[in-house]
Amino acid sequence: MSFVRVAALSELEADTPKRVEIDGVPVSLVRTEGEVFAINDICSHANVSLSEGEVDDCSIECWLHGSSFDLRTGKPSGLPATRPVPVYPVKIEGDDVLVSVTQES
């Protein structure tokens, strides 16, 4: 897996998503409950940015239709979304937040 520095930990506000792009992949970074999560930024139900939604209880809600996705698994917790969105591994090194969007072969 190849990890890329995407932000400083100090730049991430608690429970406030931050959109970044890694090798053309839109990713929403979320610092919540003492951890940092990386989830694909595009809702699986509608082509809208999840980073514009709200964070609550380790989930992110799509602002357009209200589907929520678990930040740990990407699984939707309610309709209208029925498909999960990808989640990505995160590493913290000092103040650096690193994310990998590559798959192991």
Side-chain angles (χ1 to χ4, degrees), residues 39-53:
I39 188 167
N40 191 284
D41 193 44
I42 305 302
C43 177
S44 63
H45 169 256
N47 189 23
V48 297
S49 176
L50 291 176
S51 62
E52 295 178 30

Side-chain angles (χ1 to χ4, degrees), residues 9-10 12-16 29-38 55-59 71-72 90-94 96-97:
L9 187 59
S10 58
L12 301 179
E13 294 181 42
D15 300 323
T16 303
L29 294 178
V30 179
R31 184 177 187 173
T32 189
E33 299 185 8
E35 294 185 64
V36 176
F37 299 93
V55 174
D56 185 42
D57 279 342
C58 215
S59 67
L71 291 168
R72 297 167 293 236
V90 175
K91 289 195 312 189
I92 307 296
E93 293 181 354
D96 294 333
V97 178

